[in-house]
Amino acid sequence: ITDSEKNVTHIYGQTKKVFSVPYLSKDKIVSTTGAGDCLIGGFLGSYINGKTFENSISLGVKLASDSLKYCGMEEFINKSTLN
């Protein structure tokens, strides 16, 4: 469950884990388009390649947070420091 800038919550059975989201001031947010896709894509790509659940969520959150700073994926991909 994503809760905007507050956190990401994972619930599995009776287990609940809350992952914090890094703060990004509203004046640095250019566009929210694609942020959820970046979170899911980062998580799934990492998880299916053998990373832990926690590391995968962290990568997804980082990608989503970074994507907020750009308008359009081409600009995000060209300027991304995630290489």
Side-chain angles (χ1 to χ4, degrees), residues 6-25:
K6 296 178 184 162
N7 57 48
V8 174
T9 304
H10 173 257
I11 301 171
Y12 183 76
Q14 298 299 318
T15 305
K16 177 180 176 180
K17 291 184 181 180
V18 178
F19 299 87
S20 63
V21 173
Y23 175 75
L24 184 65
S25 62

Side-chain angles (χ1 to χ4, degrees), residues 36-51:
D37 295 331
C38 287
L39 189 145
I40 296 301
F43 167 76
L44 288 175
S46 180
Y47 194 68
I48 65 172
N49 281 293
K51 301 295 182 187

Side-chain angles (χ1 to χ4, degrees), residues 28 30-31 33 66-72 75-76 79-80:
K28 298 206 185 270
V30 175
S31 175
T33 302
D66 286 351
S67 75
L68 297 173
K69 301 173 193 172
Y70 304 101
C71 184
E75 182 181 2
F76 169 62
K79 293 185 178 178
S80 178

